[in-house]
Amino acid sequence: MDKKALSERDICTKFITPAVKKAGWDEMTQIREEVSFTKGRIIVRGKMVSRGQGKRADYILYYKPNIPLALIEAKDNTQAIGAGMQQGLEYAATLDIPFVFSSNGDGFVFHDRTGNAATVETTLSLDDFPSPDELWRRYAEAKGLTAEAEEIVLEDYYDDGSGKTPRYYQVNAVNAAMEAIAKGQNRILLVMATGTGKTYTSFQIIWRLWKGGHKKRILFLADRNVLVDQTMVNDFRPFGPAMAKLSANSKTIERDDGSKIELPTAVDKKRRVDTAYEVYLGLYQSLTGPEERQKLYKEFSPGFFDLIVIDECHRGSAAEDSAWREILEHFSDATQIGLTATPKETEYASNIAYFGAPVYSYTLKQGIRDGFLAPYKVIKVHIDRDVQGYRPEKGQVDRDGNEIEDRIYNAKDFDRNLVLDDRTKLVAKKVTEFLKESGDRYQKTIIFCVDQEHAARMRQALINENADLVAENHRYVMRITGNDKEGLDQLGNFIDPEVRYPVLVTTSRLLSTGVDAQTCRLIVLDREVGSMTEFKQIVGRGTRVHEDTRKFFFTLMDFRGATNHFADPDFDGEPVQIYEPGGDDPITPPDNEPVIDDDGNEQADKPGEGETVIDDGGSTDINIGDDGGKKGKIYVDGVPVVIVAERIEYLDENGKLVTESLRDFTKKALRKHFASLDEFLKRWNSTERKQAIIDELAAEGLSLDVIATELGKDLDPFDVVCHIAFDRKPLTRQERAAEVKKRDVFGKYGDQARAVLDALLTKYADEGMLNLDDANVLRIPPLNELGTPVQLIKAFGGKAGFEDAVHALQNELYQAVA
């Protein structure tokens, strides 16, 4: 056997797998080959949506299911034994795998990433591959795991038998949390971007600790009823009768599979708690309150819970923060895990101080890069009154006939202190235009408004702009805010991918967090977003990919400059702590703690000139009108407003927003691949299978078909590259085929062979086929009418002659470069 003639797959089958099995690894439970661990980034340009190539490891070896221990990167035998090591190390860093091997079938190069080895990299023979127990021992020693800690770390994951496995970052998060708990850490923070499955991740942690008897009573805290209810009937369903909701009100909920269940409750009408359950879920608002009788959590002894998980632990006003901390301090001996997507906060940023540094982080940028989260494009719309401000004419009166105060009103005032009705109508008109131009007026849309009253006016303006669809169903446009029961009742329908209505939803803050709107394709910002935390949460409403409805990206339409947060270098960086208490300091930041803005400057403790308080830390929605002396809004009619500028920005390959056309983007990307026309021609002419070049470009998001469609001509990919990247005049496929026919290059062949080549040329002109040498093409019209594939190939003297003739034809096709 000539080992160097074997493919990489043959090397794996004949040499690597046998060596691993001989070392004691079980083929069914411990060895996985060709493991894809990312989906491939979704790339959006104009109407083009494509996926980059996902990452795939040749082998991952598991000590137990979902506990990866080693990674092997294989190469064929023409390469060095350690040729795959650098790629393997990159994958291992992502997957958090401690041991990496590279092999070409002659042996292994072994890299120990634990930092505990005397020699980091060694070379092993095929017979010296380490056993599972040997690698686990090395890992446990490096991590300092005791026998008791190992027992916790090695607890089984929940497996429902369906074949569903956690994603790699969920495995990383679960294992990092389990390891921290096993080593005695009792305050744990997990940072995972919205849409990456924090609840499922927390379920696996809880399940492993509960099933192994390490944590017997568990409390899961959230601050939205919908979060608790959906968690109970879906991700936490396996807990079955051991689980109950800390509520006196039972209700029937629909599961993901369509079945219905009545939620069990652990509180009776007299607010007495049934302590017979093991897993409790509840709202922290319902467990406490300003009055002693409202503090339901005190019905439990301080040592009752062994484990408490706080979902979205960043959320809430200052008062709400103290509420959940009040609960946690009561159960201070319990292990407490905080889950959040946005640990960076401003005036109430203390979750990191409370829980400690995150044991694992998975950011929005990582999720988009891996293809698990949807990317987005941003449409920034600038309205003249927002840019220039508005100053009333002398003596101008409002809708009620009162004279308007003479000053300059700016974007911070609009819809909060002063209402320009034409501005609201313009925003509604622009949103409707976008939906119409997109070709899908039924794409789920959230419009974020300044407050509830603004949301009501925006609903009316959208109804008037979409009267035809509202006539079909009055729920096409709805307001969903905290004070609107009819709207709140439709929240479940809005987030249900199977239910069409409502489609357009106006809100203020209710939908900015905790709502799993999987099919939301358009987010409209018509209010300022001062907090980076809230901005990330709003962006998170659109980041879920929903393949069944082909939702692969979403659009942010920004009327208020909120997307300037993208320019913040910390937009998706590591968590930042603002408040750093000393050993004797209170955990809650004091009221006089300096507030630092996004530029790092200390802000004054009182609003300055021209500033308007937009959130006083109380209710998340602001009541409008004559409320205890609070001044109402000024309504002004007849003030014209126009759009002065609009631009579309895309995420580039580095996750940065750039403003450029599809053509400019393609040119820049192609020039990275091919520095000159000569380099491209050399590569094209030397590659027998031209499709390989097209596939390589497509894997990076460069779909040449899309740009060819935009150019409006039947162009070969060859001409697309020459034209876009190097400004050469393109020839259509028909023109290229005609040039070949003029040169009469088929003269040396017999009649039947010439007929085949002529038919292939016609097929190329019509369909642009690049794989003309594939003999299967002889089976389809019109070639199958010329004879059987065997007869046609014989006309060229055999298969080699046929392939030579087709390659000569391709060379003729690509001779001319304008």
Side-chain angles (χ1 to χ4, degrees):
M1 180 191 302
D2 181 3
K3 203 171 187 181
K4 296 202 179 301
L6 297 178
S7 68
E8 182 182 299
R9 186 79 335 237
D10 275 333
I11 292 293
C12 291
T13 304
K14 293 176 170 59
F15 298 98
I16 298 176
T17 301
V20 173
K21 288 168 63 178
K22 184 180 176 184
W25 296 83
D26 185 273
E27 189 171 22
M28 297 303 294
T29 62
Q30 293 182 307
I31 303 173
R32 284 190 61 200
E33 297 185 52
E34 297 189 316
V35 184
S36 295
F37 57 92
T38 71
K39 298 266 290 185
R41 180 178 170 169
I42 299 168
I43 301 152
V44 182
R45 293 290 167 193
K47 293 184 178 180
M48 174 187 76
V49 181
S50 60
R51 271 196 189 273
Q53 280 189 334
K55 293 181 179 178
R56 185 171 65 184
D58 290 329
Y59 290 83
I60 296 180
L61 307 182
Y62 298 83
Y63 191 63
K64 290 185 72 174
N66 296 311
I67 300 178
L69 200 51
L71 181 146
I72 306 173
E73 192 60 32
K75 298 295 177 186
D76 64 43
N77 199 249
T78 64
Q79 302 188 57
I81 189 171
M85 182 54 72
Q86 290 192 164
Q87 184 178 349
L89 287 171
E90 181 186 331
Y91 288 174
T94 299
L95 297 168
D96 197 20
I97 292 177
F99 304 111
V100 184
F101 298 84
S102 172
S103 179
N104 66 352
D106 289 339
F108 298 93
V109 172
F110 171 37
H111 186 108
D112 187 326
R113 297 182 62 245
T114 65
N116 208 43
T119 305
V120 176
E121 228 167 67
T122 54
T123 302
L124 308 174
S125 70
L126 288 175
D127 293 330
D128 290 333
F129 195 86
S131 69
D133 288 337
E134 181 183 344
L135 287 187
W136 178 256
R137 179 184 53 76
R138 292 177 70 148
Y139 176 74
E141 285 178 4
K143 288 290 186 176
L145 299 178
T146 64
E148 292 78 15
E150 284 189 49
E151 187 181 338
I152 295 174
V153 170
L154 293 174
E155 286 294 349
D156 290 334
Y157 275 68
Y158 175 76
D159 184 355
D160 63 2
S162 68
K164 176 184 177 181
T165 57
R167 292 170 174 171
Y168 84 85
Y169 61 84
Q170 294 170 335
V171 167
N172 289 356
V174 172
N175 291 345
M178 292 292 288
E179 198 170 289
I181 291 168
K183 293 166 77 171
Q185 188 173 326
N186 272 335
R187 299 291 181 268
I188 292 161
L189 182 63
L190 290 174
V191 177
M192 296 173 68
T194 300
T196 55
K198 290 191 294 295
T199 309
Y200 174 70
T201 300
S202 65
F203 161 72
Q204 287 288 4
I205 296 169
I206 296 169
W207 176 270
R208 294 173 71 192
L209 293 168
W210 177 71
K211 200 68 176 174
H214 307 289
K215 305 292 180 184
K216 296 179 181 177
R217 291 197 182 99
I218 294 101
L219 173 63
F220 181 88
L221 282 175
D223 71 343
R224 295 281 192 274
N225 244 318
V226 66
L227 292 178
V228 172
D229 295 346
Q230 292 301 320
T231 296
M232 289 184 72
V233 299
N234 293 317
D235 285 331
F236 280 31
R237 183 176 176 179
F239 288 120
M243 172 179 62
K245 182 178 179 181
L246 282 168
S247 169
N249 302 314
S250 181
K251 59 198 245 185
T252 301
I253 297 292
E254 186 173 313
R255 293 179 170 134
D256 283 346
D257 61 9
S259 62
K260 294 186 177 181
I261 184 174
E262 186 171 297
L263 297 181
T265 60
V267 182
D268 66 17
K269 297 298 182 183
K270 295 183 179 179
R271 285 177 65 83
R272 291 176 301 199
V273 176
D274 184 345
T275 58
Y277 294 97
E278 295 176 61
V279 180
Y280 294 82
L281 295 89
L283 301 179
Y284 62 75
Q285 299 97 317
S286 67
L287 297 187
T288 189
E291 298 178 26
E292 194 63 26
R293 63 179 180 80
Q294 295 173 307
K295 300 186 187 301
L296 184 65
Y297 69 88
K298 290 191 174 179
E299 293 293 312
F300 298 99
S301 65
F304 185 84
F305 291 111
D306 306 307
L307 174 66
I308 301 178
V309 177
I310 307 92
D311 193 25
E312 306 287 8
C313 67
H314 63 277
R315 271 221 296 273
S317 70
E320 289 171 334
D321 273 351
S322 63
W324 66 255
R325 292 219 174 89
E326 181 182 14
I327 298 169
L328 298 190
E329 284 160 9
H330 180 73
F331 303 111
S332 59
D333 289 342
T335 298
Q336 299 173 1
I337 302 174
L339 305 171
T340 181
T342 51
K344 179 185 176 184
E345 306 195 24
T346 52
E347 63 264 37
Y348 55 93
S350 55
N351 58 351
I352 295 176
Y354 184 85
F355 290 105
V359 298
Y360 184 72
S361 293
Y362 188 73
T363 65
L364 171 65
K365 189 180 294 183
Q366 288 172 295
I368 292 174
R369 180 197 65 198
D370 288 342
F372 294 120
L373 296 181
Y376 43 86
K377 60 182 178 180
V378 178
I379 300 176
K380 293 186 176 181
V381 184
H382 302 279
I383 296 174
D384 60 344
R385 296 298 175 182
D386 294 356
V387 175
Q388 301 159 10
Y390 161 69
R391 184 176 181 180
E393 297 176 6
K394 188 174 181 180
Q396 187 171 354
V397 296
D398 64 14
R399 189 181 292 170
D400 297 326
N402 300 314
E403 187 171 341
I404 304 169
E405 180 186 353
D406 182 15
R407 70 175 179 88
I408 295 176
Y409 296 86
N410 58 32
K412 289 186 177 182
D413 294 304
F414 297 143
D415 297 300
R416 186 167 296 282
N417 303 315
L418 180 134
V419 174
L420 300 179
D421 200 44
D422 284 5
R423 188 191 178 287
T424 309
K425 292 176 182 176
L426 182 64
V427 172
K429 180 180 174 65
K430 194 66 187 174
V431 171
T432 304
E433 281 178 8
F434 173 85
L435 293 169
K436 287 178 178 178
E437 289 172 9
S438 74
D440 180 11
R441 292 175 69 189
Y442 289 94
Q443 53 186 295
K444 295 288 179 88
T445 300
I446 304 175
I447 301 98
F448 287 99
C449 302
V450 167
D451 53 35
Q452 295 180 358
E453 185 272 345
H454 182 205
R457 282 188 291 106
M458 186 62 70
R459 170 192 166 275
Q460 184 177 348
L462 286 165
I463 283 175
N464 291 332
E465 287 290 337
N466 296 275
D468 54 337
L469 297 187
V470 172
E472 292 178 13
N473 191 306
H474 71 278
R475 290 184 294 124
Y476 177 76
V477 184
M478 293 199 74
R479 180 181 75 153
I480 299 181
T481 54
N483 67 344
D484 190 324
K485 184 182 183 304
E486 288 73 20
L488 284 173
D489 287 346
Q490 291 300 318
L491 178 57
N493 287 331
F494 177 69
I495 64 180
D496 188 338
E498 305 295 325
V499 179
R500 170 167 277 194
Y501 300 103
V503 179
L504 311 185
V505 164
T506 68
T507 189
S508 54
R509 282 172 172 78
L510 184 66
L511 299 185
S512 64
T513 54
V515 176
D516 187 9
Q518 300 174 50
T519 55
C520 177
R521 296 172 188 264
L522 176 62
I523 294 173
V524 180
L525 296 171
D526 195 26
R527 70 170 173 86
E528 290 188 313
V529 182
S531 157
M532 177 68 81
T533 300
E534 186 179 20
F535 179 68
K536 283 188 179 182
Q537 287 290 330
I538 288 174
V539 170
R541 297 313 100 213
T543 54
R544 287 169 174 82
V545 174
H546 197 263
E547 302 206 10
D548 289 350
T549 58
R550 303 194 63 75
K551 184 235 168 167
F552 296 108
F553 72 97
F554 68 102
T555 302
L556 269 173
M557 185 178 289
D558 180 15
F559 290 90
R560 301 273 182 154
T563 53
N564 291 337
H565 281 298
F566 285 127
D568 188 329
D570 291 324
F571 167 64
D572 208 5
E574 288 300 305
V576 175
Q577 182 172 9
I578 305 299
Y579 171 55
E580 297 186 66
D584 298 324
D585 293 336
I587 195 65
T588 304
D591 292 337
N592 61 356
E593 178 74 3
V595 176
I596 308 299
D597 65 22
D598 285 332
D599 295 321
N601 301 314
E602 183 173 328
Q603 296 179 337
D605 58 357
K606 294 181 180 179
E609 186 176 348
E611 291 184 46
T612 305
V613 176
I614 60 172
D615 190 353
D616 61 4
S619 170
T620 55
D621 276 314
I622 296 174
N623 295 317
I624 302 303
D626 188 8
D627 181 15
K630 184 188 290 185
K631 188 176 179 181
K633 295 184 183 183
I634 302 167
Y635 294 84
V636 186
D637 299 327
V639 177
V641 292
V642 296
I643 290 169
V644 292
E646 179 179 345
R647 69 179 188 268
I648 299 177
E649 298 184 331
Y650 299 91
L651 279 173
D652 69 8
E653 63 273 20
N654 298 313
K656 298 291 184 184
L657 280 171
V658 292
T659 306
E660 62 183 342
S661 68
L662 173 61
R663 184 175 180 140
D664 290 339
F665 165 78
T666 305
K667 179 174 184 174
K668 187 167 69 176
L670 286 172
R671 292 296 288 266
K672 284 183 182 177
H673 264 273
F674 313 110
S676 66
L677 178 60
D678 286 344
E679 183 182 321
F680 169 66
L681 293 176
K682 184 178 179 181
R683 173 83 188 280
W684 184 269
N685 291 327
S686 65
T687 303
E688 286 191 7
R689 186 173 172 271
K690 314 298 184 190
Q691 188 64 39
I693 296 176
I694 311 308
D695 292 343
E696 180 184 317
L697 294 172
E700 297 185 22
L702 288 169
S703 177
L704 298 182
D705 289 344
V706 176
I707 191 70
T709 301
E710 187 174 274
L711 293 171
K713 297 181 179 180
D714 292 330
L715 299 183
D716 189 289
F718 175 86
D719 283 283
V720 173
V721 175
C722 290
H723 177 57
I724 295 297
F726 305 110
D727 301 316
R728 298 304 177 102
K729 181 184 175 183
L731 297 175
T732 64
R733 294 194 304 270
Q734 292 78 9
E735 288 170 336
R736 287 202 172 277
E739 286 292 321
V740 174
K741 287 184 179 181
K742 280 182 195 175
R743 294 197 293 272
D744 190 24
V745 296
F746 305 149
K748 67 177 183 179
Y749 297 105
D751 290 344
Q752 190 173 35
R754 279 203 306 274
V756 170
L757 292 172
D758 191 64
L760 286 174
L761 199 56
T762 301
K763 204 158 190 64
Y764 163 81
D766 292 341
E767 301 174 23
M769 296 182 65
L770 290 171
N771 56 336
L772 298 176
D773 57 350
D774 183 354
N776 287 319
V777 75
L778 302 176
R779 301 178 186 276
I780 57 178
L783 289 115
N784 63 346
E785 298 166 8
L786 302 175
T788 67
V790 173
Q791 291 171 337
L792 298 181
I793 287 174
K794 273 186 180 178
F796 292 91
K799 186 175 181 183
F802 169 70
E803 290 177 349
D804 287 345
V806 173
H807 290 150
L809 171 60
Q810 285 184 323
N811 290 336
E812 291 291 335
L813 276 170
Y814 299 118
Q815 267 193 16
V817 180

